[in-house]
Amino acid sequence: MKKLLLATTAATLLTGAAFAEEVKVGIILGFTGPIESLTPDMAASSELAFKEVSDTGAFLGGSTITPMRADSTCIDAAAASAAAERLITADGVVAIMGADCSGVTGAILSNVAVPNGVVMISPSATSPGLSTVEDNGLFFRTSPSDARQGEILADVLEEKGITSVAVTYTNSDYGKGLSDAFAAAYDGEITINASHEDGKADYSAEIAALASAGGDVLVVLGYVDQGGKGIIQASADTGAFDTYLMGDGMYGDSLIADLGDVVEGSMGIVPWAEGEGTDAFNALGEAAGINVASAYTRESYDAAALIALAMAKGGEATKEAVAANVLDVANAPGEPILPGELDKALEILAAGGDIDYVGATNVELIGPGEAAGTYRYYTVTDGAFETVDIR
């Protein structure tokens, strides 16, 4: 009998060991390019969720998640697609947290993710065009569409009684989509609505055209580490405008560090959240050394958590399990789950129960798998981002 028990125990241990595995998940963000100052904290936030899941020892029989980083560049669709191809075919990732910028996200989705049946959950690709893209149910995002951002930008101006603006936007899917959404929502006069290219050393020609058209405020729908910041610097150099309204791509500490005096008194909006889940994420992130006040950190944690919990719900570390279960774990009904409670979520799912992942951003995936979302309206006051309200 003793030998039988020992043999049974050994067999059980071997079975558990065989079931436990290394699960690879891709993280595709622009570690170089026009938002490179934002992506390190975004990546670290997603890896925080993967580590939290792995450390429980309760994920799929003791399996662990290994994040695999790749560079989207934010703007080079070919490079981003090649990076995603390597992650899927060479590294064997079962899902992708990312990409970040809308153009490269769309390229990866159509060129790589859909043909390979791999889910992408983006924390920051906000183009309205992604709402209707042919994705075979494989694309989700934890940030809201720019269709809503355009409306809020217009609301901010109208509340302040600003009736005339010039608009410049980065020449990308993101910039064009946000510019169109803003133009459709704004009742005032748009004197000029012109694109700019990222990566230029000199934006004096662009500013000359914007200044010639006039406007009480310059609306900058660009990127904080390249064109958008260059446009504002050129404006300051020539005295063209003294007040700016900035889209979400302009939010970042590097803006204050490089142009704090120039943008003093200006305004902007960025996807944001508040509440118990946000507070829980902030505590976890700060303990891990993450700048939780940076853009899209909350959304990145949530995107990663949804990938892991979808696999747990499906009972296997496969791309099929992720695709089939993201909406189930993201939305009601079920036990609400906050950051730091992923162990509880795994326990409930293992017992056959349901969860409603609230996360750091009050996650609720609507329509074709995108977030309802809220925005932070801020002003630059005394060299810092000061919240006006969450809307």
Side-chain angles (χ1 to χ4, degrees):
M1 179 62 72
K2 184 176 180 180
K3 290 181 180 180
L4 177 61
L5 288 172
L6 289 172
T8 302
T9 301
T12 301
L13 289 172
L14 286 171
T15 302
F19 184 68
E21 59 182 310
E22 179 190 31
V23 181
K24 296 179 180 179
V25 178
I27 296 175
I28 301 183
L29 298 172
F31 295 107
T32 61
I35 61 167
E36 62 188 14
S37 68
L38 305 180
T39 52
D41 286 305
M42 293 169 64
S45 296
S46 65
E47 289 165 351
L48 182 64
F50 291 142
K51 183 177 187 301
E52 183 181 336
V53 167
S54 297
D55 286 352
T56 66
F59 175 64
L60 298 179
S63 297
T64 56
I65 298 175
T66 299
M68 311 292 291
R69 290 190 182 191
D71 187 7
S72 77
T73 76
C74 177
I75 53 176
D76 188 334
S81 296
E85 187 74 38
R86 287 192 298 273
L87 283 179
I88 292 172
T89 59
D91 296 323
V93 303
V94 297
I96 291 172
M97 199 299 295
D100 44 4
C101 301
S102 296
V104 294
T105 298
I108 292 170
L109 182 65
S110 61
N111 296 335
V112 184
V114 168
N116 287 282
V118 172
V119 162
M120 296 174 64
I121 304 184
S122 172
S124 58
T126 53
S127 170
L130 291 170
S131 297
T132 55
V133 69
E134 291 294 329
D135 65 352
N136 291 353
L138 297 172
F139 179 66
F140 306 87
R141 50 184 168 182
T142 51
S143 56
S145 164
D146 283 336
R148 175 67 178 138
Q149 183 176 178
E151 295 173 353
I152 296 177
L153 287 167
D155 289 346
V156 167
L157 292 172
E158 289 162 10
E159 288 168 11
K160 287 189 161 292
I162 296 168
T163 59
S164 175
V165 300
V167 178
T168 179
Y169 62 90
T170 177
N171 187 19
S172 66
D173 289 359
Y174 158 70
K176 184 64 166 61
L178 180 51
S179 171
D180 288 346
F182 169 72
Y186 182 53
D187 291 333
E189 178 190 12
I190 297 177
T191 62
I192 184 174
N193 195 346
S195 67
H196 63 261
E197 301 295 333
D198 285 300
K200 294 181 64 175
D202 182 9
Y203 289 93
S204 56
E206 288 83 352
I207 275 295
L210 293 163
S212 177
D216 298 327
V217 167
L218 177 59
V219 179
V220 183
L221 310 177
Y223 291 128
V224 67
D225 292 323
Q226 285 193 13
K229 187 162 62 178
I231 287 281
I232 294 177
Q233 183 63 67
S235 174
D237 291 343
T238 59
F241 296 90
D242 56 17
T243 305
Y244 309 92
L245 174 64
M246 297 170 285
D248 62 319
M250 294 299 297
Y251 181 88
D253 288 345
S254 62
L255 181 75
I256 300 296
D258 296 340
L259 297 173
D261 292 341
V262 173
V263 295
E264 182 72 19
S266 293
M267 308 154 285
I269 67 171
V270 62
W272 212 260
E274 61 183 358
E276 189 179 2
T278 306
D279 293 343
F281 167 76
N282 289 344
L284 290 173
E286 287 170 1
I290 296 169
N291 177 13
V292 297
S294 186
Y296 297 112
T297 53
R298 295 152 298 281
E299 291 82 0
S300 297
Y301 176 96
D302 286 347
L306 287 173
I307 288 171
L309 295 175
M311 282 188 275
K313 172 79 173 180
E316 58 185 23
T318 63
K319 58 188 181 183
E320 292 81 9
V322 180
N325 293 288
V326 170
L327 289 175
D328 283 344
V329 297
N331 295 342
E335 178 72 17
I337 301 296
L338 303 180
E341 296 182 340
L342 302 185
D343 55 345
K344 181 171 79 170
L346 294 173
E347 181 180 344
I348 293 169
L349 292 172
D354 292 321
I355 63 168
D356 174 12
Y357 181 75
V358 174
T361 61
N362 303 307
V363 171
E364 186 69 20
L365 297 187
I366 59 174
E370 64 185 34
T374 54
Y375 288 86
R376 176 192 186 190
Y377 164 33
Y378 65 85
T379 59
V380 180
T381 305
D382 296 329
F385 297 113
E386 182 176 282
T387 300
V388 177
D389 57 35
I390 306 293
R391 55 179 70 186

